[in-house]
Amino acid sequence: MANTQDETVIAPFTAFAFAVEIEIPDVITKACSAAFSECDGLEMTMDVKTIREGGNNGRQLRLTGALNFGQLTLKRGMTASFDLWDWFEEVQRRPRLRANAEVIVFAPGPAQKERARFILSRCLPVKLKAPPLNAKDGMVAIEELQIAYESLTRKRLSGGGA
């Protein structure tokens, strides 16, 4: 029988309780009031360089290389808020304009305790897609935003939340 004192069971995070905060300096503090229904693309990969030592065919050295970051894809039901469209237009006028974004993962339930926070810096909108329109469906109109970011970090929460 297993000793429960030595075991630590940590419940995995759920993917349905989250918020996205986008701050665009000199334009808007919180774009869209974090009202996104889908978020994908929190990722980073590291290039690995392989070096072979002459005469040693049974071994290879692996060195770390550059980090690469994904593109964040956000989807939301289209509303009267045109914050994302304003940001996209403002970047066309001011090409150096960048935003900062945070993706917050919450615990399920009414308290919605913060479990993790991902920080994306120097974000740039790269694609903004209006929803497909079809009079036969009666579906919610979903717009999509893709954001390129220069770095991704995870903030450590106090109290063992992450």
Side-chain angles (χ1 to χ4, degrees):
M1 186 171 234
N3 185 353
T4 56
Q5 291 179 346
D6 295 335
E7 294 180 11
T8 303
V9 178
I10 300 174
F13 295 177
T14 56
F16 63 87
F18 69 94
V20 179
E21 297 174 354
I22 301 173
E23 180 185 348
I24 309 158
D26 304 325
V27 178
I28 190 164
T29 303
K30 286 192 181 178
C32 300
S33 300
F36 294 100
S37 59
E38 219 175 299
C39 174
D40 187 24
L42 290 170
E43 63 181 279
M44 57 183 158
T45 57
M46 183 181 303
D47 292 339
V48 177
K49 299 180 182 193
T50 302
I51 298 176
R52 295 205 174 260
E53 185 179 4
N56 187 354
N57 293 332
R59 184 168 181 219
Q60 55 189 9
L61 301 174
R62 302 284 180 146
L63 303 176
T64 59
L67 280 177
N68 300 300
F69 300 98
Q71 282 191 2
L72 192 69
T73 300
L74 300 170
K75 294 182 181 180
R76 71 175 189 144
M78 190 171 192
T79 66
S81 169
F82 285 90
D83 294 345
L84 301 178
W85 296 88
D86 294 342
W87 179 27
F88 211 93
E89 290 171 6
E90 191 63 30
V91 168
Q92 292 174 34
R93 286 190 285 278
R94 298 169 40 198
R96 293 183 177 205
L97 178 66
R98 299 293 184 271
N100 294 310
E102 297 187 6
V103 177
I104 304 108
V105 179
F106 296 105
Q112 292 220 328
K113 182 180 176 187
E114 186 174 324
R115 307 259 334 250
R117 183 177 289 257
F118 297 92
I119 300 168
L120 294 77
S121 65
R122 296 189 44 80
C123 300
L124 184 65
V126 293
K127 180 179 179 182
L128 186 54
K129 182 178 174 184
L133 304 174
N134 186 338
K136 293 188 281 182
D137 285 344
M139 303 290 288
V140 172
I142 303 292
E143 63 184 354
E144 179 180 316
L145 171 70
Q146 289 184 7
I147 300 173
Y149 50 94
E150 292 184 10
S151 71
L152 170 65
T153 56
R154 194 177 102 186
K155 181 179 179 183
R156 294 204 178 267
L157 302 176
S158 60

